[in-house]
Structure formats: structure tokens, C-alpha cells
Amino acid sequence: VRTLCLAALLGALGAGGTELTLELPDSAQRCFHQELESGIKFTLDYQVISGGHYDVDCYVEDPNGKTIYQETKKQYDSFSHRTEVKGVYTFCFSNEFSTFSHKIVYFDFQVGDEPPILPDMNNRVTALTQMESACVTIHEMLNAVIDSQTHYRLREAQDRSRAEELNGRVSYWSVGETLILFMVSIGQVMLLKSFFTEKRPSSSGAGT
């Protein structure tokens, strides 16, 4: 029974999906295409990890070119939709509004409904056994752990990017302060030297 429970959990966790982290240059746009059947549910989650104000434009189009989702300058968002027509669906990330900063974007594209953990679970009329209830609970906890790991991994990458950016600013500021102090020190030395420099009067050669 334990083997069957573990196999069911692994099968449920192996649902179709794609995770990707991409670099989005300034004034650029990246698009992805996925062919889907009619009546299929898909979910798009995305988050900007680094770059600029951590925002990006995103839109999704169906095979007929109709925009079914569009957001501008979002740091993160989630979009779910059940397809109405069969064909190639397109989702794009755009950084065209930025002229000098590139972005790093993470997205998770999940296709299809999550399969039931146990066979004929949706059609059962009897209560779940203790082992089956334990399998469902473990599956839900594993999903929560996966979501938490993804969330903390993205937060860690975002915080690391901000720390590196702050470290660069501090380094440039320190170099600038050092140059200013060096110039001020040279100016003070030259000024003090001018105070203690004796000016000898010129001697005239007139004789009596």
C-alpha cells in the first residue's frame, strides 16, 4: 500500500509544466508559443527577479490573435485560463518601455488539470481510508513545500541582486569620496605653503 501511495504522489507531482528564467534586454521582447487542445486549463506565473524597478509587461494571445491577458509594468502576477479553441497560444514578456536596464524574469507555465492522487477518486461514493487520507495530506503538504521553495528561491535571487547593486553603488561612492578627500588635501597643503612662503623685496642698484 505504501508503494502504491508513493507512486501516486510521484505521478501527481509530475504534472506537465515548464519553469524558465530568462534575461530580457532593454527595449526587447521575448515570446513563447505552446500548442494546446480545446478545454485545457493552463496557468502562467511570473516574477521579475532583477533589473530596473523590477517590472515587466506581459500579454497572452489565443490562436485567433485575441488578447486574453495583458498587464503593464507588473513585478509579479498569476494568470489562469481554460482554452476555448485549439491552436498555438502565445505569451510574451516585454521590456520595450525601458531604454537602459535589462531584466531577469522567472516564469512557470503549467498545462492541464492536476490528475487525481488516487484512482477513481473523483467518482468515489465511499469515505477515504486512513491510508488514502494520509496520501492526500502528504500530497498537499508536498505541494506547499514546493511552492515555498520556489518563493524563497526567487526572494533570495531578488535580494542578492539588490545587495550586489547596493554594493556597487557604495563602492563608487567610496571611490568618489576618496578622490575628493585627496584633492582637498592637496589644496590645503598648497594653501598652507603659500602662507609661510617669504616674499623677498627686490634690491635696487642705486648708489650714492
PDB file of all heavy atoms in Angstrom, residues 185-197:
ATOM      1  N   SER A 185      42.933  67.593   0.257  1.00  0.00           N
ATOM      2  CA  SER A 185      44.208  67.552   0.998  1.00  0.00           C
ATOM      3  C   SER A 185      45.309  68.291   0.235  1.00  0.00           C
ATOM      4  O   SER A 185      46.079  69.064   0.816  1.00  0.00           O
ATOM      5  CB  SER A 185      44.615  66.095   1.236  1.00  0.00           C
ATOM      6  OG  SER A 185      43.649  65.422   2.001  1.00  0.00           O
ATOM      7  N   ILE A 186      45.392  68.061  -1.077  1.00  0.00           N
ATOM      8  CA  ILE A 186      46.393  68.760  -1.881  1.00  0.00           C
ATOM      9  C   ILE A 186      46.152  70.266  -1.856  1.00  0.00           C
ATOM     10  O   ILE A 186      47.076  71.073  -1.711  1.00  0.00           O
ATOM     11  CB  ILE A 186      46.383  68.229  -3.323  1.00  0.00           C
ATOM     12  CG1 ILE A 186      46.850  66.768  -3.343  1.00  0.00           C
ATOM     13  CG2 ILE A 186      47.271  69.083  -4.216  1.00  0.00           C
ATOM     14  CD1 ILE A 186      46.808  66.151  -4.723  1.00  0.00           C
ATOM     15  N   GLY A 187      44.889  70.679  -1.937  1.00  0.00           N
ATOM     16  CA  GLY A 187      44.575  72.106  -1.883  1.00  0.00           C
ATOM     17  C   GLY A 187      44.942  72.736  -0.559  1.00  0.00           C
ATOM     18  O   GLY A 187      45.469  73.856  -0.519  1.00  0.00           O
ATOM     19  N   GLN A 188      44.703  72.035   0.538  1.00  0.00           N
ATOM     20  CA  GLN A 188      45.066  72.570   1.846  1.00  0.00           C
ATOM     21  C   GLN A 188      46.575  72.697   2.009  1.00  0.00           C
ATOM     22  O   GLN A 188      47.076  73.685   2.569  1.00  0.00           O
ATOM     23  CB  GLN A 188      44.492  71.673   2.947  1.00  0.00           C
ATOM     24  CG  GLN A 188      42.981  71.770   3.093  1.00  0.00           C
ATOM     25  CD  GLN A 188      42.460  70.862   4.178  1.00  0.00           C
ATOM     26  OE1 GLN A 188      43.129  69.928   4.607  1.00  0.00           O
ATOM     27  NE2 GLN A 188      41.236  71.134   4.624  1.00  0.00           N
ATOM     28  N   VAL A 189      47.299  71.698   1.530  1.00  0.00           N
ATOM     29  CA  VAL A 189      48.772  71.762   1.625  1.00  0.00           C
ATOM     30  C   VAL A 189      49.300  72.943   0.824  1.00  0.00           C
ATOM     31  O   VAL A 189      50.168  73.703   1.293  1.00  0.00           O
ATOM     32  CB  VAL A 189      49.386  70.440   1.126  1.00  0.00           C
ATOM     33  CG1 VAL A 189      50.900  70.574   0.986  1.00  0.00           C
ATOM     34  CG2 VAL A 189      49.044  69.298   2.073  1.00  0.00           C
ATOM     35  N   MET A 190      48.801  73.148  -0.373  1.00  0.00           N
ATOM     36  CA  MET A 190      49.262  74.262  -1.190  1.00  0.00           C
ATOM     37  C   MET A 190      48.879  75.609  -0.563  1.00  0.00           C
ATOM     38  O   MET A 190      49.663  76.574  -0.601  1.00  0.00           O
ATOM     39  CB  MET A 190      48.675  74.156  -2.599  1.00  0.00           C
ATOM     40  CG  MET A 190      49.157  72.931  -3.367  1.00  0.00           C
ATOM     41  SD  MET A 190      48.437  72.804  -5.025  1.00  0.00           S
ATOM     42  CE  MET A 190      49.114  74.289  -5.767  1.00  0.00           C
ATOM     43  N   LEU A 191      47.681  75.668   0.051  1.00  0.00           N
ATOM     44  CA  LEU A 191      47.268  76.911   0.690  1.00  0.00           C
ATOM     45  C   LEU A 191      48.138  77.240   1.899  1.00  0.00           C
ATOM     46  O   LEU A 191      48.575  78.387   2.081  1.00  0.00           O
ATOM     47  CB  LEU A 191      45.793  76.801   1.101  1.00  0.00           C
ATOM     48  CG  LEU A 191      45.179  78.044   1.737  1.00  0.00           C
ATOM     49  CD1 LEU A 191      45.217  79.222   0.758  1.00  0.00           C
ATOM     50  CD2 LEU A 191      43.749  77.761   2.194  1.00  0.00           C
ATOM     51  N   LEU A 192      48.410  76.234   2.740  1.00  0.00           N
ATOM     52  CA  LEU A 192      49.270  76.471   3.900  1.00  0.00           C
ATOM     53  C   LEU A 192      50.694  76.827   3.484  1.00  0.00           C
ATOM     54  O   LEU A 192      51.356  77.661   4.117  1.00  0.00           O
ATOM     55  CB  LEU A 192      49.284  75.221   4.792  1.00  0.00           C
ATOM     56  CG  LEU A 192      47.974  74.900   5.533  1.00  0.00           C
ATOM     57  CD1 LEU A 192      48.099  73.570   6.261  1.00  0.00           C
ATOM     58  CD2 LEU A 192      47.647  76.019   6.517  1.00  0.00           C
ATOM     59  N   LYS A 193      51.163  76.226   2.424  1.00  0.00           N
ATOM     60  CA  LYS A 193      52.514  76.526   1.936  1.00  0.00           C
ATOM     61  C   LYS A 193      52.617  77.972   1.471  1.00  0.00           C
ATOM     62  O   LYS A 193      53.630  78.641   1.682  1.00  0.00           O
ATOM     63  CB  LYS A 193      52.870  75.566   0.805  1.00  0.00           C
ATOM     64  CG  LYS A 193      54.284  75.729   0.297  1.00  0.00           C
ATOM     65  CD  LYS A 193      54.586  74.706  -0.792  1.00  0.00           C
ATOM     66  CE  LYS A 193      56.000  74.866  -1.319  1.00  0.00           C
ATOM     67  NZ  LYS A 193      56.296  73.890  -2.403  1.00  0.00           N
ATOM     68  N   SER A 194      51.533  78.466   0.872  1.00  0.00           N
ATOM     69  CA  SER A 194      51.551  79.861   0.411  1.00  0.00           C
ATOM     70  C   SER A 194      51.568  80.838   1.581  1.00  0.00           C
ATOM     71  O   SER A 194      52.093  81.950   1.472  1.00  0.00           O
ATOM     72  CB  SER A 194      50.340  80.133  -0.483  1.00  0.00           C
ATOM     73  OG  SER A 194      49.138  80.021   0.256  1.00  0.00           O
ATOM     74  N   PHE A 195      51.027  80.470   2.745  1.00  0.00           N
ATOM     75  CA  PHE A 195      51.035  81.341   3.915  1.00  0.00           C
ATOM     76  C   PHE A 195      52.431  81.523   4.486  1.00  0.00           C
ATOM     77  O   PHE A 195      52.779  82.594   5.004  1.00  0.00           O
ATOM     78  CB  PHE A 195      50.113  80.780   5.004  1.00  0.00           C
ATOM     79  CG  PHE A 195      48.646  80.908   4.684  1.00  0.00           C
ATOM     80  CD1 PHE A 195      47.710  80.112   5.326  1.00  0.00           C
ATOM     81  CD2 PHE A 195      48.199  81.827   3.725  1.00  0.00           C
ATOM     82  CE1 PHE A 195      46.369  80.233   5.037  1.00  0.00           C
ATOM     83  CE2 PHE A 195      46.857  81.939   3.435  1.00  0.00           C
ATOM     84  CZ  PHE A 195      45.933  81.145   4.089  1.00  0.00           C
ATOM     85  N   PHE A 196      53.242  80.476   4.439  1.00  0.00           N
ATOM     86  CA  PHE A 196      54.564  80.519   5.066  1.00  0.00           C
ATOM     87  C   PHE A 196      55.692  80.792   4.075  1.00  0.00           C
ATOM     88  O   PHE A 196      56.862  80.691   4.420  1.00  0.00           O
ATOM     89  CB  PHE A 196      54.842  79.188   5.777  1.00  0.00           C
ATOM     90  CG  PHE A 196      53.926  78.942   6.946  1.00  0.00           C
ATOM     91  CD1 PHE A 196      52.811  78.141   6.797  1.00  0.00           C
ATOM     92  CD2 PHE A 196      54.173  79.536   8.181  1.00  0.00           C
ATOM     93  CE1 PHE A 196      51.962  77.914   7.861  1.00  0.00           C
ATOM     94  CE2 PHE A 196      53.320  79.312   9.243  1.00  0.00           C
ATOM     95  CZ  PHE A 196      52.210  78.501   9.102  1.00  0.00           C
ATOM     96  N   THR A 197      55.359  81.122   2.876  1.00  0.00           N
ATOM     97  CA  THR A 197      56.386  81.451   1.895  1.00  0.00           C
ATOM     98  C   THR A 197      56.741  82.930   2.008  1.00  0.00           C
ATOM     99  O   THR A 197      55.860  83.797   1.925  1.00  0.00           O
ATOM    100  CB  THR A 197      55.900  81.142   0.471  1.00  0.00           C
ATOM    101  OG1 THR A 197      55.593  79.738   0.379  1.00  0.00           O
ATOM    102  CG2 THR A 197      56.971  81.476  -0.548  1.00  0.00           C
TER     103      THR A 197
END
